[in-house]
Short mmCIF file of all heavy atoms in Angstrom, two decimals:
data_model
loop_
_atom_site.label_atom_id
_atom_site.label_comp_id
_atom_site.label_asym_id
_atom_site.label_seq_id
_atom_site.Cartn_x
_atom_site.Cartn_y
_atom_site.Cartn_z
N VAL A 1 -89.69 50.51 25.86
CA VAL A 1 -90.99 50.77 25.25
C VAL A 1 -90.79 50.84 23.74
O VAL A 1 -89.93 51.58 23.25
CB VAL A 1 -91.62 52.08 25.76
CG1 VAL A 1 -92.87 52.44 24.95
CG2 VAL A 1 -91.99 51.95 27.24
N LEU A 2 -91.61 50.07 23.00
CA LEU A 2 -91.63 50.13 21.54
C LEU A 2 -92.84 50.94 21.12
O LEU A 2 -93.98 50.58 21.44
CB LEU A 2 -91.72 48.73 20.93
CG LEU A 2 -90.59 47.74 21.21
CD1 LEU A 2 -90.81 46.46 20.41
CD2 LEU A 2 -89.25 48.35 20.88
N ASN A 3 -92.61 52.01 20.41
CA ASN A 3 -93.70 52.87 19.93
C ASN A 3 -94.08 52.43 18.53
O ASN A 3 -93.42 52.77 17.55
CB ASN A 3 -93.27 54.34 19.95
CG ASN A 3 -94.38 55.27 19.51
OD1 ASN A 3 -95.49 54.84 19.20
ND2 ASN A 3 -94.10 56.56 19.48
N ALA A 4 -95.17 51.66 18.45
CA ALA A 4 -95.69 51.18 17.16
C ALA A 4 -97.13 51.63 17.02
O ALA A 4 -98.00 50.85 16.62
CB ALA A 4 -95.58 49.66 17.08
N ALA A 5 -97.38 52.89 17.36
CA ALA A 5 -98.74 53.41 17.45
C ALA A 5 -99.28 53.95 16.13
O ALA A 5 -100.28 54.68 16.12
CB ALA A 5 -98.82 54.49 18.53
N GLY A 6 -98.66 53.62 15.02
CA GLY A 6 -99.18 54.02 13.72
C GLY A 6 -99.27 55.53 13.56
O GLY A 6 -98.33 56.27 13.88
N ALA A 7 -100.41 55.99 13.06
CA ALA A 7 -100.59 57.43 12.82
C ALA A 7 -100.54 58.25 14.09
O ALA A 7 -100.37 59.47 14.05
CB ALA A 7 -101.91 57.66 12.10
N TRP A 8 -100.68 57.61 15.25
CA TRP A 8 -100.67 58.29 16.54
C TRP A 8 -99.30 58.26 17.21
O TRP A 8 -99.15 58.69 18.34
CB TRP A 8 -101.71 57.65 17.47
CG TRP A 8 -103.13 57.95 17.08
CD1 TRP A 8 -103.94 58.92 17.61
CD2 TRP A 8 -103.90 57.29 16.08
NE1 TRP A 8 -105.17 58.90 16.99
CE2 TRP A 8 -105.19 57.90 16.04
CE3 TRP A 8 -103.66 56.23 15.21
CZ2 TRP A 8 -106.19 57.50 15.17
CZ3 TRP A 8 -104.66 55.84 14.33
CH2 TRP A 8 -105.91 56.46 14.33
N ALA A 9 -98.28 57.75 16.52
CA ALA A 9 -96.97 57.55 17.14
C ALA A 9 -96.31 58.84 17.60
O ALA A 9 -95.50 58.83 18.53
CB ALA A 9 -96.04 56.82 16.17
N GLY A 10 -96.65 59.96 16.99
CA GLY A 10 -96.05 61.23 17.38
C GLY A 10 -96.73 61.88 18.56
O GLY A 10 -96.32 62.98 18.99
N LEU A 11 -97.74 61.24 19.12
CA LEU A 11 -98.54 61.84 20.19
C LEU A 11 -98.35 61.16 21.54
O LEU A 11 -99.12 61.41 22.47
CB LEU A 11 -100.03 61.79 19.82
CG LEU A 11 -100.43 62.46 18.49
CD1 LEU A 11 -101.93 62.33 18.27
CD2 LEU A 11 -100.01 63.92 18.49
N LEU A 12 -97.35 60.32 21.68
CA LEU A 12 -97.13 59.61 22.94
C LEU A 12 -96.62 60.60 24.00
O LEU A 12 -95.51 61.12 23.87
CB LEU A 12 -96.12 58.49 22.75
CG LEU A 12 -95.80 57.63 23.97
CD1 LEU A 12 -97.04 56.92 24.49
CD2 LEU A 12 -94.68 56.63 23.66
N PRO A 13 -97.40 60.87 25.05
CA PRO A 13 -96.97 61.83 26.07
C PRO A 13 -95.66 61.41 26.73
O PRO A 13 -95.41 60.22 26.96
CB PRO A 13 -98.13 61.81 27.09
CG PRO A 13 -99.32 61.37 26.30
CD PRO A 13 -98.77 60.37 25.31
N GLY A 14 -94.84 62.39 26.99
CA GLY A 14 -93.56 62.15 27.65
C GLY A 14 -92.41 61.91 26.71
O GLY A 14 -91.25 61.88 27.14
N ASP A 15 -92.68 61.73 25.42
CA ASP A 15 -91.60 61.50 24.46
C ASP A 15 -90.84 62.81 24.27
O ASP A 15 -91.41 63.81 23.81
CB ASP A 15 -92.18 61.03 23.13
CG ASP A 15 -91.11 60.63 22.12
OD1 ASP A 15 -89.93 60.97 22.32
OD2 ASP A 15 -91.47 59.97 21.12
N PRO A 16 -89.54 62.86 24.60
CA PRO A 16 -88.80 64.12 24.47
C PRO A 16 -88.53 64.53 23.03
O PRO A 16 -88.19 65.69 22.78
CB PRO A 16 -87.50 63.83 25.21
CG PRO A 16 -87.34 62.35 25.14
CD PRO A 16 -88.72 61.78 25.17
N ALA A 17 -88.66 63.61 22.08
CA ALA A 17 -88.40 63.93 20.67
C ALA A 17 -89.39 63.15 19.82
O ALA A 17 -89.03 62.16 19.17
CB ALA A 17 -86.97 63.59 20.29
N PRO A 18 -90.66 63.57 19.80
CA PRO A 18 -91.69 62.80 19.08
C PRO A 18 -91.36 62.68 17.59
O PRO A 18 -90.89 63.64 16.97
CB PRO A 18 -92.96 63.63 19.28
CG PRO A 18 -92.68 64.49 20.47
CD PRO A 18 -91.21 64.77 20.43
N PRO A 19 -91.59 61.53 17.00
CA PRO A 19 -91.33 61.36 15.56
C PRO A 19 -92.35 62.16 14.75
O PRO A 19 -93.52 62.24 15.14
CB PRO A 19 -91.51 59.87 15.34
CG PRO A 19 -92.45 59.44 16.42
CD PRO A 19 -92.13 60.29 17.61
N PRO A 20 -91.94 62.75 13.64
CA PRO A 20 -92.86 63.55 12.82
C PRO A 20 -93.76 62.67 11.95
O PRO A 20 -93.68 62.67 10.72
CB PRO A 20 -91.92 64.41 11.98
CG PRO A 20 -90.70 63.55 11.81
CD PRO A 20 -90.56 62.79 13.11
N ILE A 21 -94.61 61.90 12.62
CA ILE A 21 -95.53 60.99 11.92
C ILE A 21 -96.92 61.61 11.94
O ILE A 21 -97.40 62.05 12.99
CB ILE A 21 -95.54 59.61 12.59
CG1 ILE A 21 -94.19 58.93 12.37
CG2 ILE A 21 -96.68 58.75 12.06
CD1 ILE A 21 -94.03 57.58 13.06
N VAL A 22 -97.55 61.68 10.77
CA VAL A 22 -98.86 62.30 10.65
C VAL A 22 -99.82 61.36 9.93
O VAL A 22 -99.40 60.50 9.16
CB VAL A 22 -98.77 63.64 9.88
CG1 VAL A 22 -97.91 64.65 10.63
CG2 VAL A 22 -98.23 63.42 8.47
N PRO A 23 -101.12 61.52 10.16
CA PRO A 23 -102.09 60.65 9.48
C PRO A 23 -102.29 61.04 8.03
O PRO A 23 -102.35 62.23 7.69
CB PRO A 23 -103.37 60.87 10.29
CG PRO A 23 -103.23 62.24 10.86
CD PRO A 23 -101.77 62.43 11.12
N VAL A 24 -102.40 60.04 7.16
CA VAL A 24 -102.70 60.24 5.75
C VAL A 24 -103.88 59.31 5.40
O VAL A 24 -103.73 58.10 5.42
CB VAL A 24 -101.49 59.92 4.85
CG1 VAL A 24 -101.84 60.21 3.38
CG2 VAL A 24 -100.27 60.72 5.27
#
């Protein structure tokens, strides 16, 4: 799975270590 969800990339359920990506 490639997570390229932009500002929502840190919100993918099930990710054990979500990236600290926030909307600006």
Side-chain angles (χ1 to χ4, degrees):
V1 171
L2 298 186
N3 182 1
W8 288 263
L11 303 181
L12 181 61
D15 186 345
I21 292 176
V22 297
V24 183

